Amino acid sequence: MASYIRTYNSRVHIGNWREDISLEEDSLKDFLERRERGELTFQKLGLLKQNILKQVDLSASTDGWLHFGDTVMLVNPGWERRYNLRDLQKTPQDAAALSINANINGLNPNTPIAAPCDVSGTRTLEPNARTAFVITSVDGSPVGETVRYSQSFALRTTEGFAGGLYLSSEIRTLQKNAKKSRLQEVTLTDEPSFLTQWQVLYFDPQERLEYEGLPVPVNQKVIIAHCKTNQCLAVLGNYILWTSYGKEYEVVAHTCLDSHKAECDANHWLFVTANPGVEAQAIFDRTDPMASITTTENPDKQTLEYNDDGLVKQET
């Protein structure tokens, strides 16, 4: 009974007491040094959120078109619960914005985010350094020129802490694929190449050829395809990632087709710009953002008319 009763106090030195005290002193010294350098986990996380969640002013498109050099948000509008013959119940998904999913490991307070870096779909639709992307030319088109359907371009993060990284994708392999779905991975890299080139396709596949070469409107549903693999950018609501910012959706390059051979809701994206009438407000926040732009004229003198479904009709 008395064999396991402690008969000494904390001041009694037994066993390797000197080694234990030395280890405790070394641990405390290491902790204080890491705290001074800002290398503790909670310090890195606070530094990451402080810098990457800074507000970014989106570009304001006064003519309704997308231009090279514009700072925009890429937003998937999501969908509500649906019922049909093929799928009795389709799980609803909230709207999600393409965003940087930076890892706090190796984060330096004096340097920007390093490549490679993951991406994810956040449900926080706020324009900041994490969700803002710059439309970058890859064919020599000048800044301010209108982006057209099927024209190659690059999506680059903002300068500064975001690092100016390029959205990239590569053919899926056994060693390189998405973490959850195992589909084609989408990441951020610091070197522009053919892997970082994308193009915008018209929303309706039946009229896609007719609209090839026409200007791309902002805040209208479009398809974003990867030039090398021909896979479309997609956000998967049924694959959840646990990130430093909470639960978010996985973003991959994968074309999801329905029974009509048309891209599903997961492949729908909007180039969200600022509201020209309200400072620092995204056009996506308005109830009817494109109501004031009913008709406009493209550079080829072809009149285009927008309807409520995000489609464009060409008048004869």
Side-chain angles (χ1 to χ4, degrees), residues 240-257:
I240 303 298
L241 298 176
W242 289 89
T243 69
S244 302
Y245 320 93
K247 294 190 297 183
E248 297 186 343
Y249 300 139
E250 187 173 56
V251 174
V252 298
H254 181 72
T255 304
C256 306
L257 300 177

Side-chain angles (χ1 to χ4, degrees), residues 42-241:
F42 78 93
Q43 290 177 315
K44 290 183 178 181
L45 184 59
L47 174 67
L48 178 64
K49 292 185 176 181
Q50 178 183 357
N51 289 275
I52 207 168
L53 297 181
K54 286 183 178 179
Q55 181 177 342
V56 172
D57 294 331
L58 301 180
S59 301
S61 179
T62 56
D63 57 0
W65 304 125
L66 182 68
H67 307 88
F68 287 106
D70 284 351
T71 302
V72 300
M73 288 175 55
L74 270 72
V75 177
N76 178 280
W79 58 84
E80 298 179 354
R81 191 179 303 276
R82 300 178 182 177
Y83 297 88
N84 52 52
L85 296 178
R86 294 176 58 86
D87 189 2
L88 296 181
Q89 177 177 333
K90 185 174 182 179
T91 304
Q93 178 175 312
D94 297 330
L98 180 66
S99 61
I100 303 173
N101 185 15
N103 193 341
I104 62 175
N105 295 329
L107 186 65
N108 193 307
N110 300 321
T111 58
I113 297 175
C117 181
D118 297 332
V119 295
S120 59
T122 176
R123 288 172 286 184
T124 304
L125 305 181
E126 297 179 358
N128 50 45
R130 185 171 181 241
T131 58
F133 288 83
V134 180
I135 307 298
T136 306
S137 171
V138 297
D139 56 5
S141 300
V143 174
E145 183 173 322
T146 305
V147 182
R148 299 174 179 273
Y149 286 110
S150 300
Q151 183 179 9
S152 299
F153 67 96
L155 288 168
R156 179 174 54 84
T157 60
T158 56
E159 298 293 341
F161 189 78
L165 305 179
Y166 294 87
L167 190 70
S168 174
S169 186
E170 195 172 357
I171 298 176
R172 179 185 60 175
T173 63
L174 292 176
Q175 294 78 21
K176 189 175 181 61
N177 49 54
K179 296 179 181 178
K180 293 287 186 177
S181 61
R182 302 302 179 187
L183 297 174
Q184 185 171 311
E185 186 181 27
V186 176
T187 58
L188 293 170
T189 182
D190 55 356
E191 291 294 335
S193 64
F194 189 48
L195 299 177
T196 63
Q197 296 185 16
W198 305 79
Q199 61 181 353
V200 182
L201 304 179
Y202 185 63
F203 173 72
D204 189 352
Q206 295 183 349
E207 301 181 11
R208 191 161 293 168
L209 291 178
E210 289 80 352
Y211 284 87
E212 185 173 340
L214 294 181
V216 177
V218 296
N219 204 50
Q220 300 292 317
K221 287 183 179 181
V222 294
I223 308 297
I224 302 177
H226 190 236
C227 292
K228 179 179 180 179
T229 62
N230 203 32
Q231 294 292 332
C232 298
L233 190 65
V235 56
L236 306 179
N238 53 335
Y239 291 97
I240 303 298
L241 298 176

Side-chain angles (χ1 to χ4, degrees), residues 86 205-206 257-263:
R86 294 176 58 86
Q206 295 183 349
L257 300 177
D258 59 15
S259 59
H260 301 286
K261 302 299 180 181
E263 290 81 5

